[in-house]
Amino acid sequence: MKRYRIGEMASMTGLTVRTIRYYEEMGLLKAGRTGRGQRWYTENDVIYLKRIIELKGLGFSLEEISRIIRLKGEDEGGNKRRLELLSAYRAKWSEAAEKRRRIEEHMDELDWHIRQLEGAKDSFQQCPGALCAQCRYKRRCSFFKDSEA
């Protein structure tokens, strides 16, 4: 099995040597040691680091990642970790869906303001006037006055 030194791991993963050492201190990764005390890593360690990078990119904290990795001691087959990770992915997906909903609301609000100002002829203080009755945003517009009310 091929062994990699810490500098090689850093180059292969895009992480710094310091970050890899930090991950070791957190227990996310365990390096082998040579007789002289130098760290060495295996292909499995490369996979672990790439998984950590992937999870961080998806918004997982190092604590969340650590909790999932520590499950290895409870479940050699990996099914418990797989189910935990699946649950965590679903939670992150729900969070992202809620963020998207809020962003879409925000964009809709900005669209309303853009259209309102595009319809004003002279200044941003002027109500677009006759356009308001047909405006799809009239229910939320503070300038619109329904003549039927």
Side-chain angles (χ1 to χ4, degrees), residues 32-147:
R33 297 282 182 164
T34 65
R36 293 181 165 174
Q38 286 188 318
R39 290 173 171 88
W40 58 266
Y41 303 91
T42 66
E43 286 294 327
N44 285 341
D45 296 321
V46 174
I47 291 168
Y48 261 80
L49 276 178
K50 287 183 178 182
R51 175 66 83 173
I52 292 166
I53 293 165
E54 175 185 83
L55 292 171
K56 283 190 55 61
L58 291 171
F60 285 79
S61 69
L62 288 176
E63 288 177 16
E64 291 171 311
I65 296 167
S66 179
R67 187 177 63 246
I68 291 166
I69 288 175
R70 280 189 303 233
L71 288 174
K72 181 180 183 181
E74 300 173 25
D75 181 30
E76 279 299 316
N79 197 47
K80 192 171 188 174
R81 279 194 295 177
R82 184 184 67 81
L83 293 174
E84 180 70 23
L85 192 53
L86 185 58
S87 175
Y89 278 142
R90 285 183 174 134
K92 293 292 181 192
W93 187 93
S94 293
E95 289 172 18
E98 177 58 23
K99 282 181 188 177
R100 178 174 60 189
R101 185 193 63 75
R102 287 193 311 268
I103 288 170
E104 286 173 353
E105 277 182 5
H106 182 72
M107 290 174 68
D108 192 44
E109 185 73 17
L110 289 169
D111 186 52
W112 171 68
H113 285 285
I114 289 167
R115 290 180 189 277
Q116 184 184 46
L117 286 174
E118 286 174 342
K121 299 279 189 238
D122 298 327
S123 76
F124 80 98
Q125 294 175 331
Q126 177 189 6
C127 176
L131 296 176
C132 286
Q134 291 82 33
C135 179
R136 69 180 182 169
Y137 304 108
K138 66 184 176 187
R139 295 200 195 299
R140 67 163 100 148
C141 180
S142 59
F143 297 107
F144 179 67
K145 292 183 179 137
D146 192 353
S147 59

